Amino acid sequence: MATGRAWVSASPLEVRALKAVRSAVPATVLALGVFTAVRGAGVLVLGLGAWWAGRDPIQVLGGSWDSGWYLGIAGHGYGRTLMWPGTGSVQSDYAFFPLYPVLIRAVSAVLPGGLMAAGLFVAWAAAAVAALGVYRVGERLAGARAGLLLVALWAALPHAVVLTMAYTESLLAALAAWALYALLRGRWLWAAGLAVLAGLTRPTGLAVAAAVCAVALHAVVVRGSRSPAVWTAGLLAPAGWAAYVLAVGMRVDDPLGGYFTVQRRWGSRFDFGVGALRSAERVLTGGHVPLATTVTVVLLAAAGLLAVLLVLDRTPPALLAYTGVLLLITFGGAGFFESKPRFLLPAFPLLLPVAAAMARARLRTSVVVTAGLAGLSCGYGLYLLLVARVPL
């Protein structure tokens, strides 16, 4: 499956300038530099804020909320359960998928610093790999300039501080970006293999498998493909997600429903968005207006950008399937309302229309807008982790 760069048209002068820059500096280096500049500034701001508040920046980034669960699994395996008598909540570490803890344990065995340092190393390395994948997808669909802007916009999202925390969003984004790129190039088995790993990373990794399956189904039904690679990819893609769900079910003596029971005890279930609406109402009436407003705006913006992707007839089906399923899981799932923007961090294709539009603008305008968004992201990350301190 291939697609051209039909979203952006540039003047001959801009094309020559871009080619000159790319001949001096490889495109991947530029993309990584853009991402590092934006998120590095965010880490610096957070580090200074943590130091001023008397807190350890490494602990803030590597030991907050869900990070503790991942580090616990990496160090001791599964089997930890927390019970909250006041609420009746029973939280089991079986809710967390295994790939990230496995990588943490492997890295900690060869690098000094312990599990927390290993967790941050894996997250930061995955974020860098994700940035390169995001650039490749953007470049293929809209050109090099739009690809760089896509990386910058993704790094400057309000909740992008999570990409530098010991969380799984950066790992899922890396696997998703390169799986989508593989689909765009018709590399079926690569896409399927990455989808399997994404399904072992977190529940929303199912969206990557959905993209592979949807494109494979289209190839078979509409185009009449008989390629063994297409059939293999479509059948193999969900295997990682399904294997972990089944393994948890067997561990708790309920093969098909056990994992979902674990999630329900965490307060997470699929309710078609009813819980999210009620949570928004409770947060707003409880006085947490700044955070609730930001979360609501992010969710509405994501829905609007998905609508734009659906209207654009040049959007590849793989991107539509991936973002659509990711938004469906995020919007339809009950649970922690404040976490929903974090769940959408891997949904970088939603930013493609914005990046393409900015690529048509004057270079100075694009730089100023991107720098302003990056500054807001740095400040908001500081607010989330050191002021609001709401579980993400």
Side-chain angles (χ1 to χ4, degrees):
M1 175 182 176
T3 185
R5 301 171 184 174
W7 287 21
V8 175
S9 59
S11 68
L13 180 60
E14 289 177 324
V15 171
R16 288 196 297 270
L18 185 58
K19 285 183 177 180
V21 173
R22 291 185 66 186
S23 64
V25 181
T28 52
V29 175
L30 281 175
L32 192 56
V34 167
F35 179 79
T36 302
V38 176
R39 290 297 354 127
V43 171
L44 178 61
V45 169
L46 181 65
L48 292 174
W51 173 78
W52 182 81
R55 300 184 62 192
D56 182 0
I58 301 299
Q59 182 66 38
V60 172
L61 290 171
S64 297
W65 303 299
D66 287 356
S67 299
W69 288 94
Y70 288 117
L71 297 180
I73 296 169
H76 308 289
Y78 284 96
R80 178 188 176 198
T81 300
L82 291 181
M83 299 182 182
W84 302 89
T87 62
S89 176
V90 180
Q91 297 177 340
S92 167
D93 58 9
Y94 287 131
F96 298 92
F97 281 52
L99 182 58
Y100 182 52
V102 166
L103 293 176
I104 292 175
R105 188 175 184 89
V107 170
S108 68
V110 296
L111 294 181
L115 292 174
M116 189 175 295
L120 289 175
F121 177 86
V122 172
W124 293 356
V129 173
L132 296 178
V134 169
Y135 170 76
R136 286 302 186 192
V137 172
E139 179 198 36
R140 187 169 185 85
L141 295 176
R145 184 173 174 182
L148 290 174
L149 287 167
L150 181 62
V151 172
L153 290 171
W154 180 62
L157 287 172
H159 287 68
V161 65
V162 175
L163 297 174
T164 50
M165 295 175 63
Y167 269 48
T168 54
E169 273 66 28
S170 59
L171 181 58
L172 178 59
L175 295 168
W178 286 104
L180 293 174
Y181 183 66
L183 283 176
L184 294 176
R185 297 190 62 192
R187 304 294 179 85
W188 291 100
L189 297 183
W190 273 105
L194 292 167
V196 170
L197 293 177
L200 291 169
T201 300
R202 57 176 299 104
T204 48
L206 183 62
V208 184
V212 177
C213 292
V215 178
L217 183 64
H218 179 271
V220 171
V221 175
V222 178
R223 291 162 43 197
S225 175
R226 296 183 179 180
S227 169
V230 175
W231 284 88
T232 301
L235 295 173
L236 181 64
W241 185 90
Y244 183 69
V245 169
L246 182 61
V248 172
M250 294 177 67
R251 192 66 181 264
V252 298
D253 298 323
D254 183 4
L256 297 181
Y259 173 77
F260 304 103
T261 299
V262 169
Q263 287 284 10
R264 281 196 299 272
R265 289 174 176 172
W266 272 83
S268 298
R269 65 190 185 282
F270 193 82
D271 66 351
F272 300 94
V274 174
L277 293 175
R278 290 176 178 172
S279 296
E281 181 182 4
R282 285 198 299 269
V283 173
L284 287 171
T285 56
H288 302 289
V289 176
L291 183 58
T293 300
T294 304
V295 172
T296 304
V297 167
V298 169
L299 296 180
L300 290 175
L305 289 171
L306 178 60
V308 172
L309 285 180
L310 290 170
V311 170
L312 294 173
D313 58 2
R314 294 181 297 272
T315 305
L319 272 62
L320 291 177
Y322 169 67
T323 53
V325 172
L326 190 56
L327 263 67
L328 178 65
I329 295 173
T330 302
F331 279 69
F336 298 110
F337 180 68
E338 293 82 0
S339 298
K340 291 188 179 295
R342 168 170 70 87
F343 299 158
L344 292 177
L345 280 174
F348 69 91
L350 293 174
L351 300 171
L352 262 170
V354 182
M358 290 177 62
R360 291 191 291 267
R362 299 176 65 178
L363 180 60
R364 180 177 179 181
T365 301
S366 299
V367 172
V368 170
V369 170
T370 303
L373 292 174
L376 291 174
S377 176
C378 293
Y380 191 66
L382 182 70
Y383 167 76
L384 281 176
L385 296 185
L386 296 180
V387 180
R389 301 180 71 175
V390 175
L392 294 176

